[in-house]
Amino acid sequence: MQEHELDALLATSRIIRTFTSYYRAVDERQFDAPRFQRIFAPDGKIVRPGGAEIAGPADIADSHARSFARFEASQHLLTGHDVDLDGATAEVRANLVAIHLWKDRPVTVRMEDRAFTAGGVVTADLRETAKGWRITEVRTRILWRTGYFGDLAQTR
């Protein structure tokens, strides 16, 4: 294997790690600004499925802390990571299944009545910095949803 191929494999691994660390932080409710500064570029943003945008690591972390406070738990399952590396920039595409359990629903009801699941595709742009790879934008395209949606429309 050539040295440039090894460099590309190492970069791809680091890109995927940065990308998945975002979803780990969400599921583990680690919404501290320093963590999000290690994941997002200073100008990084998320584009929610409805088109709303939130920019900057601290604002993204704060928005997620407020939004995910409604849930007892969430789990974001990512698979099929496809990385397109172009020097110091990259795009990642992955399939996503996300499960969200509402806090305010009784545990005695069926799972369909206390949670919702969504499936789709998530893409992210990343940039290599002196401190490592950072996300510049994350976009989620929902293809399907099922379950109890509660106050989902109030997500900001």
Side-chain angles (χ1 to χ4, degrees):
M1 193 174 272
Q2 301 293 328
E3 185 174 335
H4 70 279
E5 291 174 308
L6 290 173
D7 290 343
L9 284 172
L10 183 57
T12 297
S13 177
R14 289 177 173 156
I15 290 162
I16 291 171
R17 182 180 172 106
T18 300
F19 179 68
T20 57
S21 69
Y22 165 56
Y23 292 95
R24 177 181 180 179
V26 169
D27 289 341
E28 293 180 357
R29 306 293 189 267
Q30 298 173 349
F31 298 123
D32 55 291
R35 180 174 313 280
F36 274 64
Q37 290 167 353
R38 290 191 302 270
I39 297 169
F40 285 91
D43 60 343
K45 68 179 176 178
I46 63 166
V47 181
R48 295 197 189 269
E53 295 184 5
I54 299 142
D59 288 342
I60 293 168
D62 180 62
S63 174
H64 283 341
R66 285 183 283 115
S67 181
F68 279 84
R70 304 176 285 180
F71 303 115
E72 177 183 325
S74 66
Q75 187 173 33
H76 292 76
L77 308 171
L78 299 160
T79 186
H81 295 81
D82 184 19
V83 177
D84 185 13
L85 182 61
D86 186 11
T89 62
E91 182 179 41
V92 178
R93 180 209 181 276
N95 296 304
L96 169 71
V97 174
I99 303 115
H100 302 78
L101 277 74
W102 296 98
K103 270 187 183 175
D104 64 352
R105 302 295 292 166
V107 295
T108 56
V109 299
R110 298 175 316 147
M111 184 60 84
E112 298 86 14
D113 295 327
R114 67 181 293 240
F116 76 90
T117 302
V121 174
V122 62
T123 55
D125 297 325
L126 293 92
R127 178 175 58 236
E128 188 175 26
T129 71
K131 295 183 177 184
W133 287 91
R134 299 294 186 264
I135 295 173
T136 56
E137 184 172 314
V138 175
R139 300 164 301 281
T140 305
R141 183 170 49 102
I142 300 298
L143 301 175
W144 57 269
R145 288 183 174 149
T146 187
Y148 175 76
F149 298 104
D151 69 346
L152 185 62
Q154 295 178 17
T155 299
R156 300 186 276 254

